[in-house]
Amino acid sequence: NESEFKLAFKSPSINAYDNLMENVDILVDNKNPLFNTYIAIDTIKSKYYNASEFSLIYVTLKDTLFMHSEFKGGANNEDNFNLEFYHTINEDNNSVVGIKKSDFTYKGNTWYANKEKSKSNNKIVFDNDFKNINIQSIIFTYLDEEINLKGVTQGKDYKNLKATFKNVDLNKITPRIDSLNFMGRVDGELSLLQENGNYFPTSNIKVKDLDINQTPIGELLLKVTGNQDLTEYLVDTKLIDYNDKKTLTALGIINVSENNPFINVDVNLDKFGISEFSALGGDSITDIRGFVSGKAKISGSYKKPSIDGVLNLDQAGLMVPYLNVDLGFDDNSRVILNKQRYDFDKINITDS
């Protein structure tokens, strides 16, 4: 039968484009009513994300290709993905890739894509040469939390892309970081507009009830505006405690140009609590505590910046378990910041 095509392929490993795939198994049978193609890969290693137990199966029904994929990923394979999607051609002869109801588990929380099984949204429409792309509200939800991705691109010179966050738990969307645990509720929008080849990126994010390592911080306001070629960003950050007092402000410029990247940011602290960073000391330094006030300028190369200013400590101290000492610093003790040096200015230290 000339219309029949079958293929069975196995390989212990395939290395392509810096991606290593081990134990690859591919079956193709265009006459099989259950599936036309089945792909199984034991492990996938890449510089972006590692996956295991990967499987992809698809079947063509009439003019639509339906696909189902499952795999594990992340640290210790704790993330699980269960994805359903399809591809078809619409009446304008454009390709449509749509997401059916799917779920994925990240950091122990199961998110849904297209939970409401919408047929009008949760899809990407594009032409044959990928010059025009329309992302039609791809929605991810977890209970009352929502992330909405949408936007359009038209040729090389126009883009209008947006990511909107509604009541999203900060801990669910931040990467795993040893010794740091973030909590809070994220609302706001990230947007990228390009017109006539010029870019206009902006972000306006609010994090309510910010908590770091189980220490309540307050409300974080973050505004970022980029220049036309995406090389320089104006950053305006405020941290407001539960008494409506600004404990931290950071205002300045971060330049990420290839030839001369730099940072120029002014930071003001007013009784900013540092106990939430105690976990960063590991087992060597514990019980970091107290409040910091003062001003500092961060400038120079953002990879190795110069930090200059004067900070005042209040109710500050730390513990060194190896020496079994608990050190307390006198109130109004000064720390002088000079480039990359931290000079403690004749601070009286008490072993409490």
Side-chain angles (χ1 to χ4, degrees), residues 15 48 223:
N15 197 336
Y48 302 108
K223 294 182 180 180

Side-chain angles (χ1 to χ4, degrees), residues 317-335:
L318 55 86
M319 187 172 183
V320 184
Y322 180 74
L323 301 176
N324 195 29
V325 293
D326 191 346
L327 305 178
F329 304 128
D330 280 359
D331 288 348
N332 295 318
S333 295
R334 295 203 320 162
V335 179

Side-chain angles (χ1 to χ4, degrees), residues 294-308:
K295 297 181 179 181
K297 175 178 280 291
I298 306 173
S299 59
S301 170
Y302 70 89
K303 295 181 179 179
K304 194 176 181 180
S306 174
I307 305 176
D308 301 277

Side-chain angles (χ1 to χ4, degrees), residues 9 12 98 118 134 137 156 166 177 257 305:
F9 174 84
S118 170
N134 185 359
S137 287
K156 296 181 179 179
K166 294 182 180 179
I177 303 175
S257 59

Side-chain angles (χ1 to χ4, degrees), residues 85 94 122-123 126 133 137 178 183 263 268 294 304:
F85 45 105
N94 290 324
N122 296 282
K123 57 187 176 183
F126 53 91
I133 302 173
S137 287
D178 291 341
M183 302 292 290
I263 185 172
N268 290 278
K304 194 176 181 180

Side-chain angles (χ1 to χ4, degrees), residues 38-252:
Y38 172 76
I39 301 173
I41 305 174
D42 185 58
T43 57
I44 302 174
K45 298 178 181 178
S46 74
K47 59 184 178 180
Y48 302 108
Y49 193 77
N50 294 333
S52 65
E53 301 179 32
F54 175 89
S55 66
L56 171 67
I57 187 170
Y58 69 75
V59 62
T60 301
L61 298 176
K62 295 183 179 180
D63 59 352
T64 302
L65 178 67
F66 293 93
M67 293 163 278
H68 174 82
S69 179
E70 296 181 10
F71 59 92
K72 299 179 182 295
N76 302 316
N77 290 322
E78 294 176 350
D79 303 337
N80 290 283
F81 295 82
N82 182 22
L83 309 178
E84 299 270 359
F85 45 105
Y86 63 90
H87 173 265
T88 190
I89 304 296
N90 65 12
E91 60 275 8
D92 297 320
N93 202 34
N94 290 324
S95 290
V96 180
V97 175
I99 301 175
K100 303 184 72 176
K101 183 180 179 180
S102 303
D103 65 82
F104 59 93
T105 301
Y106 176 67
K107 296 176 73 172
N109 303 293
T110 300
W111 288 78
Y112 288 92
N114 196 11
K115 186 177 182 180
E116 303 302 322
K117 301 181 180 180
S118 170
K119 295 182 179 180
S120 58
N121 291 321
N122 296 282
K123 57 187 176 183
I124 303 173
V125 182
F126 53 91
D127 55 18
N128 292 333
D129 51 10
F130 291 95
K131 288 185 177 180
N132 298 296
I133 302 173
N134 185 359
I135 304 172
Q136 300 181 359
S137 287
I138 298 177
I139 300 173
F140 304 97
T141 57
Y142 176 87
L143 299 178
D144 61 343
E145 304 169 34
E146 180 181 296
I147 301 174
N148 189 333
L149 306 178
K150 61 182 178 181
V152 297
T153 69
Q154 297 173 358
K156 296 181 179 179
D157 296 328
Y158 181 81
K159 296 180 181 67
N160 190 356
L161 306 173
K162 294 182 180 180
T164 304
F165 301 84
K166 294 182 180 179
N167 196 39
V168 177
D169 184 350
L170 179 63
N171 183 58
K172 293 188 178 75
I173 59 175
T174 50
R176 298 177 177 92
I177 303 175
D178 291 341
S179 303
L180 281 177
N181 183 43
F182 297 98
M183 302 292 290
R185 292 287 169 174
V186 180
D187 289 281
E189 183 177 89
L190 305 177
S191 65
L192 176 63
L193 175 65
Q194 180 194 25
E195 289 183 315
N196 299 321
N198 296 319
Y199 288 93
F200 304 94
T202 59
S203 69
N204 195 340
I205 297 293
K206 176 191 292 186
V207 182
K208 297 179 292 185
D209 299 324
L210 178 63
D211 182 300
I212 302 177
N213 292 335
Q214 298 183 340
T215 300
I217 304 297
E219 182 175 271
L220 176 67
L221 304 175
L222 175 62
K223 294 182 180 180
V224 179
T225 304
N227 66 353
Q228 295 180 356
D229 59 2
L230 300 180
T231 60
E232 191 168 284
Y233 298 87
L234 174 64
V235 179
D236 184 0
T237 302
K238 299 179 180 66
L239 187 60
I240 303 172
D241 67 13
Y242 288 98
N243 295 317
D244 291 329
K245 179 180 179 181
K246 292 180 183 178
T247 59
L248 180 149
T249 62
L251 179 63

